[in-house]
Amino acid sequence: MSTPNSDYETSRHYMELMKGLKDWETKTRVRQDKDGRERNYRIPRLRTFFAVGLGRSVSVSQAEFSFWCGMSRDMIAAVESGKTKITAGLAGRIYDLTGAELSWLNGRADEETYGYPSLHAWFPRTMPLTKNGIERVHGYRDSLYYAMIHHILGSLSRRWYRNTGEVLLPAPVIKKAFDHFTFPENWGPYPPLWEAFAFAPGPNAIRRAIEEKMLDDAPADSPLRKVLDSMPQTDAVTGDSRFMSEVCHNLIRTLSLVERGLVSASGSA
């Protein structure tokens, strides 16, 4: 690996994740030379960048990433494996989540034109951009910190956890809660409840959020509010995994727009 030249690049977790990506790319290029099918290396890079910012120890899976895109896992897998080219529709969905242009996604633009700081610019509050910030957000996924905060929030915020099963709060929300207890001089309002379900792992998390009315505080003038308002008022809709994926996609879009100041958390653009 090259010598880190930015503070965030010196984070142990950043270096480990990027080394894992580099090793995967090396092995995949060997297979590519054998079968002659050119792979897409850019989407796996995005999945790794998300892992850096969200406190994951391994890259975000194809299944999760496809859920966030509102697309099928088969499509993401086919594009990454080189079986099909990235479509304008998929590229647009990925742009919503990352700000990565089609020219970068299909390999025409230089790899260096989009990096982890580009993702940070799309989520300036959620994605840390310093060594300490990255180490800290990963620390909240370590067993000691996570167990402690999980149990605190589990008792204080039962509404967030009631019968949720697989639903876990994302690291930035845990960080906010930890700061609230640790640094009282910085106490402020907790993030809106809808933000806790950005980057949900699958349809069950979004389904539960809808059933428990946990997305009701979404900004009025936002993609999330619009898709929720379009939801048919039937019990069957929460069993529709595709619709849950569409909600999640627009939830993440809304988070990015709010963090970049393009949509107000109170609902006025």
Side-chain angles (χ1 to χ4, degrees), residues 66 159 265:
S66 63
R159 181 177 177 231

Side-chain angles (χ1 to χ4, degrees), residues 100-161:
E101 301 279 358
L102 174 60
S103 59
W104 185 84
L105 290 169
N106 63 20
R108 293 178 182 174
D110 290 342
E111 186 176 276
E112 294 74 20
T113 59
Y114 187 100
Y116 178 71
S118 307
L119 185 62
H120 162 78
W122 218 243
F123 299 96
R125 285 197 287 114
T126 296
M127 306 290 170
L129 192 60
T130 65
K131 174 185 178 180
N132 287 341
I134 291 173
E135 295 295 338
R136 191 173 181 183
V137 79
H138 279 261
Y140 296 119
R141 286 296 185 188
D142 290 344
S143 59
L144 177 61
Y145 283 111
Y146 192 79
M148 177 175 65
I149 301 303
H150 180 84
H151 287 299
I152 291 174
L153 289 179
S155 60
L156 295 181
S157 304
R158 286 177 293 176
R159 181 177 177 231
W160 291 28
Y161 280 82

Side-chain angles (χ1 to χ4, degrees), residues 207 211 231-244:
R207 182 178 301 115
E211 291 174 346
M231 182 174 64
Q233 298 302 307
T234 67
D235 293 337
V237 71
T238 54
D240 186 343
S241 295
R242 292 182 63 182
F243 188 82
M244 297 302 104

Side-chain angles (χ1 to χ4, degrees), residues 218-226 254 257-258 262-269:
D221 188 13
S222 69
L224 175 58
R225 183 74 270 153
K226 290 174 183 176
T254 298
L257 292 168
V258 168
L262 301 178
V263 167
S264 170
S266 61
S268 58

Side-chain angles (χ1 to χ4, degrees), residues 48-66:
T48 301
F49 291 153
F50 270 118
V52 172
L54 295 176
R56 305 288 187 86
S57 59
V58 296
S59 293
V60 167
S61 69
Q62 288 180 339
E64 270 190 278
F65 188 73
S66 63

Side-chain angles (χ1 to χ4, degrees), residues 213-262:
K213 303 185 183 304
M214 294 181 181
L215 303 183
D216 285 1
D217 60 353
D221 188 13
S222 69
L224 175 58
R225 183 74 270 153
K226 290 174 183 176
V227 74
L228 289 173
D229 288 345
S230 72
M231 182 174 64
Q233 298 302 307
T234 67
D235 293 337
V237 71
T238 54
D240 186 343
S241 295
R242 292 182 63 182
F243 188 82
M244 297 302 104
S245 182
E246 188 68 13
V247 172
C248 188
H249 177 75
N250 285 283
L251 197 164
I252 298 171
R253 284 182 63 198
T254 298
L255 182 67
S256 174
L257 292 168
V258 168
E259 291 195 10
R260 287 183 287 142
L262 301 178

